[in-house]
Amino acid sequence: MTALSGTGALIRLVLRRDRVRIPVWVLGIAGTVLGSVSSFPAAYSDAASRQARAALMNNPATVIMTGPGYGLDHYTFGAMTANEMGGLTAVASALMSILLVVRHTRAEEESGRGDLVRAAVVGRHAATTAALVVVLGANVLLGAVIAAGLPTVLPALGAAGSLLFGASVTAVGAVFTGVAAVTAQVMEHSRAATGSAGALLATAFALRAAGDLGDGTLSWLSPIGWAQATRAYVDGRWWPLLPACALTALAVAAAYALRARRDEGAGLVRTRSARTSASARLNGAFGLALRLQRGLLAGWVLGFVVFGLFIGSMADQAASFVAENEMARRFFTRLGAGAATDALLATYMSLMAMVGTGYALQAVSLPRSEETAGHVEPLLGGTPLNRPRWLVGHLAATLLGSVLVVGLAGASAGLMFAATTGDVTAAAPVLLGALAHLPAVWVLVGVAVALFGLAPAAGGLVWAALAGVVFVGTFGPLLRLPEWVSNLSPFAHTPRLPGAEFTTTPLVVLTVLAVGLMVVGTTAFSRRDVG
Amino acid sequence: MPTTTTDESTAIAVSGLTKHYGRSRALDGLDLGVRTGEVHGFLGPNGAGKTTTIRILLGLLRADSGSAHLLGGDPWRDATSLHHRLAYVPGDVTLWPTLSGGEVIDLLGRLRGGIDPRRRAELLDRFDLDPGKKARTYSKGNRQKVGLVAALASDVELLVLDEPTSGLDPLMEEAFRECVREERRSGRTVLLSSHVLAEVEALCDRVTIVRDGRTVESGTLSELRHLTRTSISAELAGTGDGLAELSGVHDLSVDGDHVSCEVDSSALDAVLRQLGSIGVRSLTSRPPTLEELFLKHYEQSDGDRAVTR
Ligand SMILES: Nc1ncnc2c1ncn2[C@@H]1O[C@H](COP(=O)(O)OP(=O)(O)OP(=O)(O)O)[C@@H](O)[C@H]1O
Ligand SMILES: [Mg+2]
């Protein structure tokens, strides 16, 4: 038996398990890109309207969200596609890759099914190889669909540029396929493997944002920066994809080397010896829920505090960007002094809250995974703990966690901003800007709870809802979506602070909606079968 | 207090229970009666509906029809108050991988209103369990012990045990039996679902056998034996005439003065009288072994159920 025996059978197993999941990812991402691009001609009918859009690319908030901004003098549909769709499409392919790789490596091992498979004639590296082959294949498929689709939906986009655009999406996906293969070896638990790969993705995004706002050096440290450096449709450079290929190969080699050195089921990060009796805090539904999501929450808080500090320090840099950039200065003089930094901070608080919703949805998915893992049976079947109290325990932990994640990010951004500008009063509006998004976050938590009660098997839909919310939040203005579509997102109704006026009515309405959804979910859960 | 619908002497009263999972039928009119203070065996082949019944009794599932009463209350409606008075061990104790065994035991105990530290320590000792390991590092048997210690450490009226000893080694199996005997001595009721017949024989006062979601037999072990056949083989003074005519005699083989047959308990008297009239030189009779008894109930098809009814 070689280390690769059985890889073929495992590839078929992975394909069988993901015969719906992979097409949904690929069509979801490619469909979003193609659908968005196909609406360009209607939204921007002449060159003047495109140039007006190009002027917006001088807004630091936009630069951070999208990319370096090239080809702005003659802003074609191609330049528009590459500049404004490229970065986030790459992030989407990276997310797909991380989730799929961990699902088929560490999560499988953790479940104990790994042993069953390994005991058959299956080599040590077969599972890793099967996951890599399938996920890399999915990325190639994604790139190909995008490359073939773009000229089809919008003939103005040339085939060569589209091919390069598709290839750069594939390249970023491939890099994070390798990254996730490594974190899946290092971490003992799948959630930690996903989380640490996700943190690396966030770092890659932050590096290119900082680089694009500055002189561009930092962008060269980021795979997303490499993808954007291809300048598809404008300069058409292939060579920036070389470092992506090299990093992918390096990461894959590292994953194999790590796999060869460890035991089945073990991680490289050792688990500490455990306590023999429970601490006083582990005394009920809330204590248990907090305990179960302790690592998850700590990871998000840490990541978001770093993120907040980064944003806080960046905001000041944005002011100097405006000062140096002729077009940006003209753009912002209309809006008044300080508007650039305010807009940047407000945009960032909003983005941060949307991404932070990812924490809240992970945390609120615990009840379902507890149920399917069989952990609730001894609790709800064998102790006086009743269903509403159990679920409310998880909800309370999630809501508290969301306040911590979003609030601490806002506080660290505000304090950092206050420190760099020397204006102590600047901190509070930033923090308020972050906290104002919490009711919107809770609405999505409410949707998750309602699904848990009414249709537990369809719980994943709430992630699609979050993807939709992020999509209209980031691409809504670019695509000039009708107002009612944008208004479907709860985040469209929160006051954008600092800068805008603070209003409580939408916050109250969103909170009431969130609570209503949670009550519906809890009631439905109390009435259905468990398990 | 939940409304009392059955008298004090009945711990569990289930009748005509049905339950479908989607379109597949798991329970089809199941009956189960457990008296207060007894250890009741709950038996049946794989997929018979034992776990489903137990999950209904615990208020985790809602029955489609039929009635179920537990400690005088409704298991679905009064779940919270009833769960103060019972403890449960599933057949496959799945634990939170990041919690230690000790933490799980404490958590479950606290949810039930507190745990006696002396009893906890004693049980940990008896089951030879190290509480200071993360649950994911426990072996199958040790996971099971965590569930057993958590349940046995609580002061409750009813223990619901669904294949509680799966994965235990013989030494621990003995420790478990001793614990159940103590529980019965202190007046507790135990519902024990098990595939370990020796365990059932050693512990249970009465048993209920289910198959295909229906109850096929219920009673004490000796009553159950009574309902089945005894093997008889004899050397006779003459030829074994007249036996074939008796009802309740099966698999008769007559070989000169040697006869052997299987006899229904109801026909035993008549057969012995007939043999006596011929003249008996030697006789051996063997009651069915427990295995034979159960295999018979497990295997029998719908058509020949009437035989034992
Ligand atoms: N969640 C479920 N969904 C669908 N069918 C189920 C589910 N749980 C049990 N069943 C079916 O219900 C029937 C009864 O199952 P149950 O688990 O109650 O059997 P059991 O008597 O406990 O068996 P065993 O001795 O193997 O534990 C089986 O046919 C089983 O396949
Ligand atoms: Mg069972």
Side-chain angles (χ1 to χ4, degrees):
Chain A
M1 185 170 94
T2 74
L4 289 178
S5 307
T7 303
L10 286 188
I11 289 176
R12 280 193 295 279
L13 175 66
V14 171
L15 288 174
R16 168 65 187 79
R17 287 184 65 206
D18 281 355
R19 65 181 171 182
V20 174
R21 195 173 290 245
I22 289 177
V24 164
W25 270 110
V26 169
L27 294 180
I29 297 174
T32 306
V33 173
L34 299 180
S36 304
V37 167
S38 68
S39 74
F40 281 175
Y44 303 95
S45 52
D46 55 13
S49 61
R50 287 199 293 276
Q51 285 316 123
R53 178 74 202 174
L56 263 183
M57 293 296 289
N58 290 305
N59 180 343
T62 317
V63 170
I64 292 183
M65 281 302 293
T66 57
Y70 48 86
L72 295 181
D73 302 335
H74 177 53
Y75 207 44
T76 60
F77 285 137
M80 202 181 257
T81 305
N83 267 313
E84 305 198 36
M85 310 288 309
L88 288 176
T89 311
V91 169
S93 71
L95 269 181
M96 167 184 86
S97 306
I98 292 171
L99 292 170
L100 288 178
V101 167
V102 173
R103 168 176 159 82
H104 290 291
T105 52
R106 177 56 69 176
E108 203 54 12
E109 235 178 276
E110 196 180 12
S111 75
R113 284 190 295 268
D115 283 2
L116 203 63
V117 170
R118 278 292 309 280
V121 186
V122 164
R124 179 181 286 277
H125 291 310
T128 311
T129 311
L132 288 174
V133 167
V134 172
V135 179
L136 288 175
N139 275 297
V140 170
L141 182 68
L142 174 63
V145 172
I146 290 177
L150 283 174
T152 317
V153 299
L154 185 57
L157 303 178
S162 300
L163 188 61
L164 181 53
F165 183 83
S168 60
V169 171
T170 301
V172 177
V175 168
F176 283 92
T177 303
V179 166
V182 172
T183 61
Q185 301 306 320
V186 175
M187 300 297 173
E188 195 174 338
H189 297 292
S190 58
R191 220 177 301 149
T194 309
S196 49
L200 289 172
L201 174 60
T203 309
F205 190 84
L207 279 173
R208 69 131 281 279
D212 293 346
L213 208 52
D215 64 0
T217 321
L218 287 176
S219 305
W220 284 103
L221 297 176
S222 163
I224 305 171
W226 302 333
Q228 292 180 323
T230 57
R231 303 192 165 187
Y233 302 110
V234 180
D235 295 329
R237 310 186 293 195
W238 280 86
W239 57 263
L241 296 185
L242 285 176
C245 296
L247 182 54
T248 306
L250 199 69
V252 168
Y256 279 109
L258 291 170
R259 182 67 190 85
R261 303 171 104 233
R262 68 172 179 86
D263 288 342
E264 188 74 18
L268 291 178
V269 179
R270 280 218 152 269
T271 38
R272 289 158 291 152
S273 76
R275 38 189 314 150
T276 56
S277 62
S279 81
R281 270 165 308 169
L282 187 60
N283 61 355
F286 179 68
L288 176 63
L290 263 193
R291 173 65 200 274
L292 292 178
Q293 59 156 290
R294 189 167 71 176
L296 177 78
L297 182 57
W300 277 90
V301 165
L302 182 70
F304 265 47
V305 165
V306 172
F307 188 59
L309 294 174
F310 168 75
I311 296 307
S313 56
M314 191 93 98
D316 202 38
Q317 208 180 338
S320 55
F321 175 86
V322 173
E324 284 161 19
N325 187 307
E326 168 74 19
M327 271 222 284
R329 204 165 48 231
R330 239 185 292 140
F331 180 76
F332 277 104
T333 39
R334 270 190 294 127
L335 297 173
T341 42
D342 277 358
L344 174 89
L345 284 166
T347 302
Y348 258 83
M349 288 309 108
S350 169
L351 175 73
M352 184 270 304
M354 286 187 216
V355 176
T357 306
Y359 151 77
L361 295 189
Q362 271 190 308
V364 83
S365 75
L366 268 175
R368 180 60 184 165
S369 47
E370 285 282 281
E371 186 184 2
T372 48
H375 295 162
V376 291
E377 259 186 50
L379 285 179
L380 297 181
T383 75
L385 183 61
N386 64 28
R387 299 181 190 204
R389 267 187 32 220
W390 173 74
L391 190 53
V392 166
H394 275 284
L395 265 179
T398 302
L399 297 183
L400 174 71
S402 68
V403 174
L404 285 178
V405 168
V406 172
L408 288 176
S412 53
L415 289 174
M416 193 67 183
F417 181 56
T420 52
T421 56
D423 177 9
V424 218
T425 60
V430 180
L431 173 60
L432 192 62
L435 295 177
H437 286 97
L438 282 171
V441 175
W442 296 337
V443 168
L444 282 162
V445 171
V447 171
V449 177
L451 283 172
F452 175 65
L454 295 167
L461 283 181
V462 73
W463 290 98
L466 176 61
V469 162
V470 173
F471 178 78
V472 298
T474 50
F475 292 119
L478 167 69
L479 303 177
R480 300 187 171 173
L481 291 177
E483 201 162 334
W484 69 266
V485 175
S486 308
N487 281 344
L488 288 177
S489 162
F491 290 91
H493 306 282
T494 44
R496 305 209 140 216
L497 299 171
E501 204 172 320
F502 183 78
T503 47
T504 48
T505 320
L507 302 187
V508 172
V509 172
L510 289 174
T511 307
V512 168
L513 179 62
V515 171
L517 287 165
M518 291 175 199
V519 169
V520 167
T522 309
T523 314
F525 173 62
S526 302
R527 300 208 172 134
R528 69 169 172 84
D529 287 351
V530 170
Chain B
M1 267 308 282
T3 47
T4 304
T5 48
T6 46
D7 59 274
E8 288 282 289
S9 64
T10 313
I12 298 175
V14 166
S15 80
L17 210 57
T18 64
K19 174 75 190 174
H20 289 76
Y21 289 109
R23 291 175 63 192
S24 80
R25 192 173 54 197
L27 298 184
D28 182 20
L30 185 135
D31 304 319
L32 172 68
V34 177
R35 296 174 193 156
T36 302
E38 75 177 359
V39 177
H40 194 101
F42 194 30
L43 312 169
N46 293 135
K50 304 180 294 295
T51 301
T52 304
T53 307
I54 287 175
R55 285 160 59 81
I56 289 173
L57 289 173
L58 295 173
L60 292 168
L61 305 180
R62 207 208 291 249
D64 295 340
S65 66
S67 75
H69 292 283
L70 182 77
L71 301 174
D74 178 322
W76 179 265
R77 210 188 49 220
D78 308 321
T80 308
S81 54
L82 290 177
H83 291 177
H84 278 288
R85 300 158 65 195
L86 65 82
Y88 164 56
V89 180
D92 196 355
V93 177
T94 56
L95 300 170
W96 298 274
T98 53
L99 265 60
S100 73
E103 286 180 295
V104 173
I105 292 168
D106 287 346
L107 172 70
L108 293 175
R110 283 172 192 174
L111 286 169
R112 213 176 275 117
I115 185 166
D116 176 3
R118 280 223 314 277
R119 176 85 174 136
R120 178 187 187 272
E122 180 208 323
L123 285 164
L124 285 176
D125 188 47
R126 281 171 76 169
F127 282 105
D128 191 23
L129 177 68
D130 173 5
K133 288 172 86 176
K134 293 264 188 196
R136 58 164 285 125
T137 66
Y138 279 124
S139 64
K140 156 80 180 138
N142 282 332
R143 275 205 309 276
Q144 213 58 33
K145 289 185 203 169
V146 172
L148 282 169
V149 171
L152 293 169
S154 53
D155 183 18
V156 292
E157 295 165 42
L158 172 67
L159 287 169
V160 179
L161 310 175
D162 189 359
E163 295 179 47
T165 57
S166 58
L168 290 193
D169 66 41
L171 216 59
M172 291 305 129
E173 166 82 45
E174 191 43 49
F176 166 76
R177 290 183 193 179
E178 199 41 51
C179 284
V180 171
R181 288 190 196 105
E182 283 168 22
E183 296 294 318
R184 182 181 33 202
R185 254 175 263 140
S186 50
R188 302 204 168 98
T189 310
V190 179
L191 177 65
L192 172 67
S193 158
S194 178
H195 291 300
V196 185
L197 297 177
E199 176 178 289
V200 172
E201 187 168 37
L203 295 175
C204 295
D205 303 303
R206 294 196 315 133
V207 303
T208 293
I209 301 176
V210 295
R211 193 165 41 75
D212 296 336
R214 246 172 290 177
T215 307
V216 291
E217 212 52 79
S218 188
T220 64
L221 283 177
S222 56
E223 278 167 357
L224 252 55
R225 283 216 170 88
H226 192 71
L227 287 167
T228 52
R229 297 165 190 168
T230 304
S231 319
I232 286 183
S233 97
E235 301 278 347
L236 300 179
T239 50
D241 296 327
L243 283 170
E245 284 79 57
L246 293 175
S247 70
V249 175
H250 309 268
D251 302 332
L252 177 68
S253 88
V254 180
D255 179 12
D257 56 0
H258 183 97
V259 298
S260 68
C261 60
E262 307 270 309
V263 181
D264 285 346
S265 303
S266 55
L268 215 48
D269 195 36
V271 169
L272 287 180
R273 225 167 307 150
Q274 177 68 21
L275 291 176
S277 71
I278 299 167
V280 179
R281 288 215 192 99
S282 79
L283 178 114
T284 53
S285 88
R286 191 173 57 80
T289 65
L290 207 56
E291 276 75 11
E292 284 167 342
L293 188 71
F294 287 120
L295 282 180
K296 193 153 167 274
H297 285 293
Y298 283 21
E299 279 168 356
Q300 94 199 141
S301 65
D302 283 344
D304 60 31
R305 182 182 299 151
V307 176
T308 49
R309 272 273 141 127

